Amino acid sequence: MIIGLVRDSFLRCFCQTCSVNSALPAGRYHKKPLKKIQKKPKCKQPKKGRKYVATEIRCEEKSRGGMCYEVILAEPSADKPTPPATSSPRPKSMTAEEIEQKLLQAEERRKSMEASRLASVGERMTRLEEASRKREENTAAFIAATQAALEDKLDTTTNNREAYLNGLRAKLSDHLNNVDGVRKQLEAQTNDLRQTIEDKLRSAEENRTENLGKMLEKLKEHEDYAQKVRLGHEEAIRQLEERIQAKIAVATNKRESEILKKLETLREHSNKITEAQELINRRQEEAKQQRAQEVAAKEERIKKIQDEKEAKRQEMTKEITEKLELVQENKNKEEEEVKKKAMEKLQKLEIADRNRLELAEKARKALEEHDRRAEMVRANKERIMAAEKQDAASSG
């Protein structure tokens, strides 16, 4: 602060026109706001109602460190000074005494001018000394006032600090009292919570043992029921297999009998064909004897008839073989369908057994998970109790 005061005291303006308040502290001088730049010319024309002296100069301060001058010209006047009549210089002879006298007058004028100049310089120096003295007095007064203000401020600061510290101590004591009350309340709540947790754990243990007994009874009942269902399924599968075997045997017997019947019919049909052929041959022989002259004309017709009969016989044999093959295929399809249905039933039974085993495995895993959780709860309880005992021992 003192450095700022010294700097401001050196940089302060000493002119009489500056409106600087010497009582302001260092670094807080309020500068005058700068006016906007005027585009109009600063030289103003004289008004008509006033009369100005010719070439009058007025000074006006526009900003700190700058001066503005207004030059006012005189109004035009009709009376002009008459120039003095120029006369031809007349030669004048000067004596040595006159020249000596003029030199003495010039020396006196020079001395008087030096004296006046020295007087003005001395007056200026006295003014500067007076201004420096006033500045020193103002600086000393400002330093004294500033020191007094600083001392007052320090006193008020110390008083405020002591008051703030006293209030803070009171708040801290109240806060510590509140903390003790909250700690006691938390201890009471912790004890209540511990008691409720122990009661819940005890009831959970009792419920777990009861639920385990019930689940074991249900598992035994389910195992008995599954055993009964398994035996029933096995008996049903055995009966189904017996029925399937009986049906397969009956189907094979029927198929063999059908095949024998078809073969017998084919044999009878072939015998009838041979008999018919023998009859035709016999009739042909009789016709040869009766119609010997017509044999040559009818041989071609007979050959055609024989060819047609042979074709019909081949077609009939072909149809019979196709029918037998269709019958055989149908029988095979029926047997495959019966076997497929039996296999589907067996697969369903196997799936039921597998589902039963999966349910039993899931129940076992659920029991193991329940036991594991109960063990974790017991371990957490023991750890909490150990931590509480350790806290009690450390606080005690």
Side-chain angles (χ1 to χ4, degrees):
M1 184 182 290
I2 295 171
I3 294 169
L5 290 172
V6 173
R7 183 187 61 205
D8 294 337
S9 65
F10 276 108
L11 297 176
R12 189 173 297 170
C13 184
F14 295 103
C15 65
Q16 299 297 325
T17 59
C18 292
S19 59
V20 179
N21 189 8
S22 61
L24 290 173
R28 295 186 182 179
Y29 296 118
H30 296 284
K31 295 182 179 180
K32 291 184 179 180
L34 297 175
K35 294 183 179 180
K36 294 183 179 179
I37 299 171
Q38 296 179 358
K39 295 182 180 180
K40 296 179 180 181
K42 291 185 178 181
C43 57
K44 298 179 181 179
Q45 297 293 331
K47 296 182 180 180
K48 295 181 179 179
R50 298 181 184 179
K51 292 183 179 180
Y52 296 97
V53 182
T55 63
E56 181 180 358
I57 298 173
R58 292 184 181 183
C59 177
E60 182 181 359
E61 184 182 0
K62 290 293 182 181
S63 62
R64 292 185 62 183
M67 301 294 287
C68 177
Y69 294 93
E70 293 181 359
V71 179
I72 302 170
L73 301 175
E75 294 180 356
S77 60
D79 299 331
K80 294 183 179 180
T82 57
T86 58
S87 60
S88 60
R90 282 187 257 176
K92 187 177 180 180
S93 60
M94 295 180 69
T95 61
E97 293 178 356
E98 292 176 354
I99 293 168
E100 186 70 23
Q101 190 176 2
K102 286 184 177 181
L103 288 172
L104 290 173
Q105 291 176 359
E107 185 69 21
E108 288 176 359
R109 285 197 300 274
R110 185 177 63 78
K111 288 180 180 180
S112 64
M113 288 177 68
E114 287 179 356
S116 63
R117 192 176 296 168
L118 288 172
S120 64
V121 169
E123 187 179 356
R124 188 177 295 174
M125 291 298 293
T126 54
R127 285 180 182 175
L128 289 173
E129 289 176 357
E130 185 69 21
S132 63
R133 186 178 59 77
K134 286 182 180 180
R135 180 173 58 78
E136 288 176 358
E137 289 177 358
N138 291 329
T139 303
F142 177 73
I143 290 168
T146 305
Q147 189 173 2
L150 283 172
E151 289 176 357
D152 295 337
K153 192 174 182 179
L154 287 172
D155 293 336
T156 55
T157 304
T158 53
N159 293 327
N160 293 331
R161 183 172 175 276
E162 288 178 358
Y164 175 73
L165 290 174
N166 292 326
L168 190 62
R169 290 192 190 95
K171 287 181 180 179
L172 285 172
S173 62
D174 295 336
H175 181 68
L176 290 173
N177 294 327
N178 292 328
V179 168
D180 292 333
V182 170
R183 185 174 60 78
K184 291 178 182 179
Q185 187 177 1
L186 286 173
E187 287 178 355
Q189 290 178 0
T190 305
N191 293 325
D192 296 337
L193 184 62
R194 188 185 299 110
Q195 188 66 30
T196 53
I197 288 169
E198 289 176 356
D199 295 337
K200 286 182 179 180
L201 288 172
R202 195 179 300 109
S203 62
E205 187 69 22
E206 293 175 358
N207 293 327
R208 187 178 70 83
T209 53
E210 186 177 356
N211 290 327
L212 284 174
K214 290 180 180 179
M215 289 179 74
L216 289 172
E217 290 178 359
K218 288 181 180 180
L219 285 172
K220 287 179 181 179
E221 292 176 358
H222 182 71
E223 188 67 26
D224 296 335
Y225 178 72
Q227 188 67 25
K228 291 179 182 178
V229 171
R230 193 185 300 111
L231 293 174
H233 282 304
E234 290 177 356
E235 184 66 25
I237 289 166
R238 187 178 58 77
Q239 292 177 2
L240 183 62
E241 288 178 352
E242 289 177 357
R243 287 199 297 272
I244 289 167
Q245 292 294 332
K247 286 182 179 180
I248 289 169
V250 172
T252 52
N253 293 327
K254 284 183 179 181
R255 186 180 61 184
E256 289 176 357
S257 62
E258 289 290 332
I259 290 167
L260 292 173
K261 286 180 181 179
K262 294 291 182 182
L263 290 172
E264 186 67 27
T265 52
L266 286 172
R267 195 178 294 113
E268 290 177 357
H269 185 69
S270 63
N271 291 329
K272 287 180 181 180
I273 290 169
T274 52
E275 289 177 357
Q277 192 173 3
E278 288 177 356
L279 181 59
I280 290 166
N281 291 328
R282 209 169 31 249
R283 286 179 181 178
Q284 284 178 0
E285 289 176 358
E286 290 176 357
K288 283 179 181 180
Q289 292 176 2
Q290 293 177 2
R291 300 176 185 178
Q293 61 273 25
E294 294 178 1
V295 172
K298 292 181 179 180
E299 282 179 356
E300 293 180 1
R301 190 183 295 175
I302 291 167
K303 286 180 180 180
K304 287 181 182 180
I305 291 168
Q306 287 178 355
D307 292 334
E308 290 175 359
K309 286 182 178 181
E310 187 65 26
K312 287 181 180 180
R313 187 178 64 78
Q314 289 179 359
E315 288 177 358
M316 289 177 70
T317 54
K318 188 177 180 180
E319 288 177 358
I320 289 166
T321 53
E322 288 177 355
K323 287 180 180 180
L324 288 173
E325 288 176 358
L326 288 171
V327 170
Q328 186 66 28
E329 288 178 358
N330 292 327
K331 294 294 181 180
N332 293 330
K333 286 181 180 179
E334 288 178 357
E335 289 177 0
E336 288 177 357
E337 288 178 356
V338 171
K339 287 181 180 179
K340 189 175 180 181
K341 288 180 180 179
M343 291 299 292
E344 287 178 355
K345 287 184 179 179
L346 290 172
Q347 288 177 358
K348 287 181 180 179
L349 292 172
E350 289 176 357
I351 289 166
D353 292 335
R354 196 180 300 114
N355 291 330
R356 182 182 58 77
L357 292 173
E358 287 178 357
L359 289 172
E361 185 68 22
K362 285 181 181 178
R364 186 179 63 78
K365 287 182 180 179
L367 286 173
E368 290 177 356
E369 183 69 20
H370 190 272
D371 294 336
R372 188 179 64 80
R373 289 182 179 177
E375 189 66 26
M376 287 174 66
V377 170
R378 195 179 297 107
N380 290 328
K381 178 184 175 183
E382 292 176 358
R383 187 165 58 254
I384 290 166
M385 292 178 71
E388 289 176 355
K389 287 179 180 179
Q390 189 175 0
D391 293 337
S394 62
S395 63

